[in-house]
Amino acid sequence: MTDQHQTNSDKVELTEAVHNLAYRLISQAGQRVSERLTAYMALPHQLNQLNAEIVAAGQLDLNNAIASEQHLWRLAKIFPSISYIGFALTDGSKESGAGRWIERTQLSVYENRNFQGCDYATDEQGNRTHLIQSYDYDALSQSWHKQALEAGKPIWTHIFTADIDDVEVADEESVQPEDTSSNVGYQNYVAVNAERPLYDKDGKLFGLAIVDVLLSEISKFLGTLKVTPSGQVFIIERDGMLVGSADEHSIVHRVDGRLERFNALNTPNLAIRSIAEELQKRFNNFQTIQDSQQFDFSLNGEHQFIYVTPWQEEYGLNWLVVVGVPKSDLI
């Protein structure tokens, strides 16, 4: 009886030790993800502020498309995490940008003049080399730009899908082999924008400074934050829509030809879906989670340790960061 009692006591102590280790690990991982996410998402607004100050000081004329796009190209080159950085004038006459939204192209520049968008390949100095594609596009009619103009201050826009149709491809070499038709670089363009209104010296609104953050880039960023071999790290909005995931599964899919995001409750990723269902069961809905929480539950007979924490910042984002680790990764 004494030996049996000792064995049971040892098992209890081992279980407690595993639980303590798990909760410490996921808590540290969650805090690390939140801290790095804060730094990662701070850069777009910092760049917009820099560009607003450069324009206000008269150091850049936004009516000069070549000068604008080369300035933006240099910034995009310095900051490889930037998907797109640009300016748009509120009269719709001109938009300039640079970034990495076109597949198989290191850096591209963009000009929209009188609602005709054009994407250009560049050389190593940021000069245009040739036209890649063109399309009709009224930037300021898009809901995310309207949101920034109405706010009148720096904000994050809602997450949006840039479904651009009838793209005329001029350079087929820039097209992925499986897609030789059109829409180069926009097939999976789901982003959240940092936008900042630009005002002249009389206080009149005349433009926007813009940085797009592709959700695919957020997922890549999360993929660098490995917690354990089978651990899950993902971010959701307060309605459960996925923002990013360290998992290889895409957070987007096509419904009747249109690109849509998965909700964490209907993603094909079983682990994320199960964690989301458990969160909803414990807290009724994602909106009610106002501080960090940790718990464990069983998925297919295996213990899963979960940490969830709200993540917010000054320009309006309000997400949940979730970390999940299976017990098998710890023993």
Side-chain angles (χ1 to χ4, degrees):
M1 291 292 292
T2 302
D3 290 343
Q4 182 64 42
H5 177 77
Q6 183 63 48
T7 299
N8 291 340
S9 177
D10 289 344
K11 288 181 178 178
V12 169
E13 289 180 2
L14 178 60
T15 300
E16 289 179 352
V18 170
H19 277 68
N20 290 337
L21 172 63
Y23 286 133
R24 185 167 65 250
L25 176 66
I26 62 175
S27 175
Q28 291 173 348
Q31 292 170 12
R32 187 168 67 251
V33 172
S34 294
E35 289 170 359
R36 292 192 61 182
L37 182 62
T38 296
Y40 183 83
M41 299 300 285
L43 178 61
H45 277 289
Q46 292 168 348
L47 290 175
N48 281 345
Q49 181 177 353
L50 171 65
N51 280 335
E53 292 176 358
I54 288 173
V55 172
Q59 298 172 5
L60 184 64
D61 179 6
L62 297 189
N63 286 301
N64 185 331
I66 299 299
S68 296
E69 68 188 37
Q70 289 192 339
H71 165 76
L72 296 166
W73 183 92
R74 286 191 291 270
L75 288 177
K77 182 180 180 181
I78 293 170
F79 299 100
S81 64
I82 295 301
S83 308
Y84 173 86
I85 182 169
F87 295 109
L89 298 182
T90 54
D91 62 6
S93 63
K94 199 177 305 305
E95 188 179 10
S96 300
R100 298 169 176 80
W101 68 96
I102 297 180
E103 297 159 2
R104 296 175 62 186
T105 302
Q106 284 296 313
L107 273 173
S108 308
V109 294
Y110 161 78
E111 181 183 13
N112 189 316
R113 187 185 295 272
N114 298 320
F115 314 116
Q116 178 72 19
C118 294
D119 298 332
Y120 296 92
T122 62
D123 61 20
E124 293 183 356
Q125 285 73 47
N127 301 304
R128 298 180 185 180
T129 57
H130 59 274
L131 176 69
I132 298 173
Q133 61 186 7
S134 59
Y135 41 88
D136 293 331
Y137 186 60
D138 181 359
L140 295 183
S141 70
Q142 307 303 321
S143 60
W144 51 93
H145 292 321
K146 288 181 178 179
Q147 184 183 358
L149 293 172
E150 291 170 1
K153 61 181 181 180
I155 65 163
W156 285 103
T157 68
H158 60 265
I159 293 174
F160 66 90
T161 299
D163 274 324
I164 297 178
D165 301 316
D166 301 323
V167 177
E168 182 177 344
V169 178
D171 177 16
E172 293 290 348
E173 291 184 359
S174 295
V175 184
Q176 292 289 359
E178 65 271 17
D179 178 9
T180 57
S181 56
S182 64
N183 210 11
V184 184
Y186 295 108
Q187 296 94 333
N188 297 303
Y189 202 104
V190 184
V192 59
N193 278 11
E195 303 208 1
R196 186 184 192 96
L198 302 174
Y199 297 92
D200 64 19
K201 64 181 187 310
D202 297 321
K204 182 181 178 182
L205 177 68
F206 70 90
L208 289 170
I210 303 162
V211 175
D212 293 15
V213 179
L214 289 175
L215 298 198
S216 58
E217 292 301 315
I218 294 178
S219 290
K220 288 179 185 178
F221 161 73
L222 294 178
T224 67
L225 308 177
K226 290 295 185 184
V227 181
T228 64
S230 304
Q232 297 285 336
V233 181
F234 62 95
I235 300 171
I236 57 175
E237 293 186 283
R238 288 303 184 136
D239 58 0
M241 298 300 291
L242 280 164
V243 174
S245 167
D247 188 81
E248 62 183 12
H249 290 84
S250 176
I251 67 167
V252 298
H253 62 137
R254 290 198 172 270
V255 178
D256 297 328
R258 309 300 289 184
L259 197 63
E260 294 186 6
R261 282 185 294 153
F262 282 112
N263 192 291
L265 293 168
N266 64 19
T267 174
N269 182 313
L270 175 61
I272 291 179
R273 188 170 72 247
S274 300
I275 293 170
E277 290 171 350
E278 188 68 21
L279 285 170
Q280 192 173 57
K281 183 171 72 174
R282 287 174 178 265
F283 304 105
N284 296 320
N285 62 65
F286 304 118
Q287 297 282 356
T288 62
I289 302 173
Q290 298 301 318
D291 49 28
S292 300
Q293 303 284 340
Q294 54 188 27
F295 60 90
D296 60 276
F297 76 108
S298 180
L299 172 61
N300 292 336
E302 181 173 16
H303 252 69
Q304 304 284 328
F305 296 94
I306 310 301
Y307 176 87
V308 56
T309 187
W311 181 85
Q312 300 171 328
E313 52 76 71
E314 61 181 309
Y315 297 109
L317 294 180
N318 182 10
W319 296 341
L320 291 174
V321 173
V322 186
V323 178
V325 173
K327 184 177 180 180
S328 59
D329 278 2
L330 304 174
I331 56 177

